[in-house]
Amino acid sequence: EPEVTQTPSHQVTQMGQEVILRCVPISNHLYFYWYRQILGQKVEFLVSFYNNEISEKSEIFDDQFSVERPDGSNFTLKIRSTKLEDSAMYFCASSVDRGSNEQYFGPGTRLTVT
Amino acid sequence: SQQGEEDPQALSIQEGENATMNCSYKTSINNLQWYRQNSGRGLVHLILIRSNEREKHSGRLRVTLDTSKKSSSLLITASRAADTASYFCATCFKGSARQLTFGSGTQLTVLP
């Protein structure tokens, strides 16, 4: 069964550094998402992406964040200058654009900012 | 807050028993989805119910939706130890394209 994959599984970085989290969505899906879950808190929506542009973003998704689909298979989340509070599990998800909003999540990347 | 909130926060049952988890939300929705998360792992999609549907089944799962009460329930029948996980409802609110808003989850423990 096709699934969303994410790399790396765990990323440790120093405050102020840039990080890029990578995702490979399910191949026939057209909508892509990033969510995050700070330890012990709810899963929070960051951004959705369709047709090579952002379709929705939350207040969390400020100028420090950006997303890109650099090729036909990868979807990336970049955090330009990480802060301690960016430490969280970051989940990528994808869904098919045929009126369905069933979102399929990857296993997540645990980002630790020190 | 528009967020879905589950109750109970934690539920412990014996294998073979049924588990019922509830979710409430505050504004009109397009659809509501249930997800499972094993400790430290990703979210597994279980079932989606649209705002014009009242009940859906998938294997041992039964989901109901009452839009007049703004609530949903997830029933797992004949539970197994492998069902031990956190269960979340996630709502897609009207006016939102596809953004999902998650609740805090119910931690289900199924004792063998």
Side-chain angles (χ1 to χ4, degrees):
Chain A
E1 187 172 328
E3 56 185 21
V4 176
T5 59
Q6 290 185 244
T7 54
S9 57
H10 192 186
Q11 173 88 47
V12 181
T13 190
Q14 288 191 324
M15 199 166 50
Q17 295 295 304
E18 174 184 286
V19 293
I20 297 176
L21 310 183
R22 292 183 166 79
C23 168
V24 178
I26 295 173
S27 62
N28 65 333
H29 286 190
L30 299 177
Y31 268 87
F32 315 117
Y33 314 84
W34 285 100
Y35 291 79
R36 78 172 185 191
Q37 185 179 30
I38 295 170
L39 188 64
Q41 297 187 23
K42 298 180 183 181
V43 175
E44 302 172 289
F45 170 80
L46 294 177
V47 66
S48 62
F49 190 86
Y50 172 71
N51 200 26
N52 282 320
E53 59 184 27
I54 291 172
S55 54
E56 251 184 318
K57 62 181 181 178
S58 71
E59 291 175 354
I60 302 167
F61 194 86
D62 61 21
D63 292 344
Q64 291 298 312
F65 292 88
S66 62
V67 289
E68 194 179 25
R69 185 142 163 91
D71 52 43
S73 59
N74 290 284
F75 179 52
T76 62
L77 173 70
K78 182 192 289 187
I79 309 175
R80 288 192 183 82
S81 179
T82 50
K83 306 183 188 79
L84 293 176
E85 54 264 37
D86 293 327
S87 294
M89 184 75 94
Y90 287 80
F91 294 107
C92 173
S94 66
S95 64
V96 173
D97 178 28
R98 287 193 184 90
S100 167
N101 191 29
E102 291 183 3
Q103 296 183 21
Y104 293 87
F105 283 72
T109 292
R110 181 167 298 285
L111 177 65
T112 303
V113 182
T114 61
Chain B
S1 164
Q2 295 179 330
Q3 293 144 327
E5 294 296 341
E6 295 89 340
D7 79 88
Q9 287 186 318
L11 179 62
S12 185
I13 59 174
Q14 293 292 135
E15 211 165 23
E17 293 180 338
N18 296 341
T20 299
M21 289 159 272
N22 302 297
C23 169
S24 61
Y25 57 91
K26 295 187 179 178
T27 62
S28 297
I29 61 171
N30 293 317
N31 62 71
L32 183 147
Q33 306 182 42
W34 285 91
Y35 287 83
R36 184 184 76 227
Q37 184 180 37
N38 290 81
S39 180
R41 307 291 295 276
L43 294 151
V44 175
H45 184 270
L46 296 177
I47 200 163
L48 178 151
I49 187 163
R50 291 186 168 79
S51 60
N52 61 351
E53 297 175 312
R54 292 297 164 257
E55 188 170 311
K56 278 189 91 166
H57 296 254
S58 176
R60 293 184 295 112
L61 305 180
R62 174 177 165 249
V63 168
T64 61
L65 179 65
D66 187 335
T67 52
S68 66
K69 294 181 180 177
K70 294 186 169 58
S71 67
S72 173
S73 67
L74 170 67
L75 168 68
I76 304 174
T77 59
S79 62
R80 306 167 182 165
D83 294 329
T84 295
S86 291
Y87 291 81
F88 297 89
C89 70
T91 44
C92 181
F93 292 102
K94 282 192 190 298
S96 163
R98 287 169 176 262
Q99 171 181 341
L100 291 180
T101 302
F102 283 80
S104 302
T106 292
Q107 172 60 51
L108 173 67
T109 302
V110 182
L111 302 168

